Amino acid sequence: MTATRQAYRTKKEVSKARWYYRCIMCILIVFTLIMTTVFHYTNMYYEAQISRINFDLRREFRYRYKQDVLLMEIDQNFRMMELRSEAYKQVALLEEELADVKAQLEEKQAREAQLASIQLTSSPFTISNLTGDQFNLVINALLDRYDISHTENLLYQTGYALEQMEKTHGVNGLFVMAVSWMESGSRTSDLARSHNNMTSIYGGDGLNTYSSPSECIINTGRILKDNYYTAKGCRTANDIGPIYCPPNPNWANSITSFCNTIIHVAEDVIY
């Protein structure tokens, strides 16, 4: 009986130990499964975090790369704008220089054409084609030649009137200048000083009085054209002389001679 009990107890203890062993094994298996699951999900979590970080890094890199590219494009655009602006400035300067050169060339061509059209002659009805400035140059040089003060002479600054007279009436300004100089005694006559009548022109009511020497010059051109060229068919100084100044048979020669002197002065200052 005792042995039986002892065997039963031993058998019971072995069974109990086996049960404990099995429980421990189950616990270990469950723990292992739990730890494996935890490790798996932890690994998945960290992989997800790493993937997210990698994604964020890639996105940040792409964003920064796009920013850098955009900044480079902006910088290039600014540089292109600066270059374009500088190019426009250079083009504008070149256009200005070209316009200046073109204007100078046109001025030179106009000057050469005007010089080519000049006719320095003593013929009363062949116009010289001098400009007002050129007439004034000739007048000033003539006054200097005879040591006469510019401002005291009535011909001073009458160049534009001589130019206008040529264009309006077709009378040679050099010829009228010679007539004015000789008839006024180079400004010393009473007619010239008191009446601005430098050419000794008389009208129907007697001596003509003018408001200025320029008015006298223009009216002299009109009279020579209307009363001598058109009405009487005069073409030369010899034709005009007997009518213009009958008491002086040498008038035409004196006027022509002094006109030639003016022509020599004009050649020196114009060409």
Side-chain angles (χ1 to χ4, degrees):
M1 186 70 179
T2 303
T4 303
R5 286 180 179 176
Q6 185 68 30
Y8 176 77
R9 186 179 295 155
T10 301
K11 185 178 181 180
K12 190 174 180 180
E13 288 176 354
V14 170
S15 179
K16 189 175 181 179
R18 285 177 178 173
W19 185 83
Y20 281 136
Y21 175 76
R22 288 173 181 170
C23 287
I24 290 171
M25 289 302 293
C26 286
I27 291 170
L28 288 173
I29 290 170
V30 170
F31 179 77
T32 302
L33 289 173
I34 291 172
M35 291 304 295
T36 302
T37 303
V38 169
F39 177 77
H40 175 72
Y41 281 105
T42 302
N43 188 47
M44 288 179 61
Y45 171 77
Y46 282 114
E47 285 181 354
Q49 291 297 319
I50 291 170
S51 296
R52 173 183 276 179
I53 291 171
N54 287 334
F55 176 77
D56 291 341
L57 287 174
R58 286 195 299 269
R59 185 173 62 181
E60 181 70 18
F61 175 77
R62 286 195 298 268
Y63 175 73
R64 290 186 180 277
Y65 176 76
K66 289 181 179 179
Q67 275 191 328
D68 291 340
V69 171
L70 182 60
L71 289 173
M72 288 176 63
E73 290 178 352
I74 292 173
D75 184 58
Q76 288 178 353
N77 287 335
F78 273 117
R79 290 180 63 187
M80 288 297 294
M81 289 174 63
E82 290 175 357
L83 290 173
R84 191 178 292 113
S85 176
E86 187 65 25
Y88 286 151
K89 290 179 181 178
Q90 293 296 327
V91 169
L93 290 174
L94 288 174
E95 288 178 347
E96 289 180 3
E97 291 179 2
L98 182 61
D100 290 341
V101 171
K102 185 177 180 182
Q104 292 174 4
L105 180 61
E106 290 176 351
E107 183 179 352
K108 181 180 179 181
Q109 290 174 343
R111 168 73 174 170
E112 290 175 351
Q114 192 270 330
L115 289 175
S117 69
I118 292 175
Q119 300 183 86
L120 300 179
T121 175
S122 60
S123 175
F125 300 105
T126 301
I127 63 174
S128 67
N129 288 317
L130 294 177
T131 65
D133 290 330
Q134 289 170 335
F135 272 120
N136 284 331
L137 285 175
V138 175
I139 290 169
N140 292 341
L142 192 65
L143 295 175
D144 291 338
R145 181 188 180 101
Y146 291 99
D147 198 23
I148 298 173
S149 171
H150 291 193
T151 55
E152 292 181 4
N153 191 275
L154 296 177
L155 277 173
Y156 180 65
Q157 295 296 328
T158 57
Y160 297 106
L162 290 164
E163 179 186 14
Q164 179 184 345
M165 185 265 304
E166 281 198 345
K167 292 179 178 179
T168 304
H169 303 297
V171 177
N172 186 357
L174 300 175
F175 180 82
V176 172
M177 192 190 303
V179 172
S180 300
W181 186 281
M182 298 300 290
E183 289 291 333
S184 68
S186 69
R187 93 180 189 299
T188 59
S189 73
D190 291 336
L191 293 180
R193 287 183 295 177
S194 58
H195 299 281
N196 289 319
N197 190 332
M198 299 183 297
T199 53
S200 303
I201 295 290
Y202 285 80
D205 298 330
L207 178 67
N208 288 351
T209 300
Y210 301 103
S211 61
S212 67
S214 294
E215 183 187 8
C216 172
I217 285 171
I218 294 172
N219 189 59
T220 298
R222 180 189 62 79
I223 290 173
L224 287 172
K225 183 63 179 291
D226 294 343
N227 297 353
Y228 289 81
Y229 183 88
T230 303
K232 297 183 172 65
C234 296
R235 296 293 183 269
T236 66
N238 290 327
D239 296 334
I240 296 171
I243 305 170
Y244 195 99
C245 188
N248 184 1
N250 230 2
W251 184 90
N253 291 334
S254 299
I255 296 296
T256 301
S257 176
F258 191 72
C259 191
N260 288 330
T261 299
I262 295 174
I263 289 171
H264 291 315
V265 172
E267 289 172 345
D268 291 337
V269 296
I270 293 173
Y271 295 108

